[in-house]
Amino acid sequence: MESLPDWLERNPLNGLGFTSQDRFIPTTIAGLARRVVVIIGGGDAPPSFEDDLYVITELYLKQLVRSMRSISSRHQRQARTQKQLFAHNALLTSVDRENFPPRKPKVSAEMIFEMVKIGRVSADIPKAARRNVINLVADNAQAIAKDSPETLYELVSRIETATLQEMISKYEEKLGQDLNETKWQSFFEANTFILSMAFAVPTIFVRATPYVHGKRVTGHGGKYSDFLMRGQGTGNVALIEIKAPGTKLLTPYRSEQQGPSPELTGAITQVLGQRRRLITGWANLKLDDDGTLKDTEVYSPQAVVLIGTLPASKLDREPFETFRQVLKDITVLTFDELLARLKYLHDALTATPIAKAPSDSAPPWQS
């Protein structure tokens, strides 16, 4: 009995083995099968289970017991502190707020750790509590930025990556549906960042369905594009015309030759006309501007047509690619190509440098 570790119960009258405060260890292992034999040995290998034998090293088990007891002690201290704080606010602050101002709880690093991650498993925060967690971080953002800026940068990076992944998922879901142009315009208006990926330079959303030219004295006859963007650096404006993903890109020209479809050439003609009218009427637009066109210029307006999806066969891709590469002052981009750009950005943001793998013996709570 004397050879048993200190953290195991040696007295048979008291249970012999795991104490009541460590009961979660044997009861958890018991979940593997109806009959399990636990062998405690030396070395530093991670736990294993085979043929009803659960093998765990003394070192691993010792660290596990210490960590679980530490959690119990920490929660007892936290509960005592919270009770004192609650009593102060409920009994003293309620009758004399000036002399007994309300006390705010201090959140320890251990509490935050347990709220977010235990053993590499993300916490399932209830929906109603998520806003409180966000507010907690937001209220302490200034202090975090001052003391641990790298922590804040990492948080921002993770939020942006998660937001981008959600955006990609919604985009893929909509591509699987037969949506018309109006539905796609609403989607892009709610997710304008996606449209910026259609350009080679950083671009900012300006306005949806912008008026470009052509109103008569009656107020009718105005010409509108789908979206107006501007370069983040130069302010050069850009027009985007949206067509549905199911729009045909090619049509038979001869028996062995495909040519651009009427829908494709019509969309190109439409946006080029809008571009020309925007240039000729720019002075009047700026004169009557309400601030929407601030920091925008018409140096050489870009025009983009987002239409269809790439042809499935290599034979059809050749005439499509050849046609759009000779176009002047206009870019033709397909919906699946825009999705590929989003995925490429996501992969670049989530890529991590190759690092030395952690030791297999490292307990999960030390991650």
Side-chain angles (χ1 to χ4, degrees), residues 97-214:
R97 190 180 185 89
E98 182 177 351
N99 293 321
F100 300 97
R103 294 179 180 176
K104 296 182 180 180
K106 293 183 179 180
V107 183
S108 66
E110 292 85 357
M111 288 180 63
I112 294 295
F113 177 81
E114 291 173 18
M115 288 170 59
V116 177
K117 182 179 291 186
I118 294 180
R120 297 180 182 174
V121 179
S122 298
D124 185 10
I125 302 176
K127 187 175 181 179
R130 291 173 189 168
R131 172 57 61 181
N132 293 332
V133 174
I134 294 173
N135 290 338
L136 176 64
V137 176
D139 292 342
N140 292 272
Q142 191 65 40
I144 296 173
K146 181 180 180 180
D147 299 333
S148 304
E150 68 284 351
T151 302
L152 199 59
Y153 296 152
E154 182 181 357
L155 175 61
V156 172
S157 176
R158 291 192 178 190
I159 292 175
E160 290 177 344
T161 303
T163 303
L164 181 57
Q165 180 58 58
E166 181 64 19
M167 197 180 296
I168 290 173
S169 298
K170 290 181 179 179
Y171 193 116
E172 290 180 314
E173 180 183 352
K174 290 188 176 297
L175 271 181
Q177 305 170 2
D178 186 19
L179 301 180
N180 57 30
E181 296 171 14
T182 302
K183 293 292 181 64
W184 277 105
Q185 289 168 4
S186 299
F187 172 72
F188 287 127
E189 188 172 354
N191 300 274
T192 56
F193 171 76
I194 298 179
L195 294 179
S196 68
M197 298 300 296
F199 301 91
V201 297
T203 309
I204 300 173
F205 171 80
V206 177
R207 184 178 175 83
T209 58
Y211 165 74
V212 293
H213 185 71

Side-chain angles (χ1 to χ4, degrees), residues 321-359:
E321 184 66 22
T322 302
F323 172 74
R324 68 173 176 177
Q325 288 300 329
V326 299
L327 295 174
K328 185 178 182 297
D329 298 329
I330 190 169
T331 298
V332 175
L333 191 67
T334 62
F335 278 78
D336 49 342
E337 288 177 319
L338 185 57
L339 175 61
R341 293 187 181 187
L342 285 172
K343 289 184 175 180
Y344 181 83
L345 176 61
H346 180 269
D347 292 343
L349 290 174
T350 55
T352 55
I354 299 176
K356 182 180 179 181
S359 172

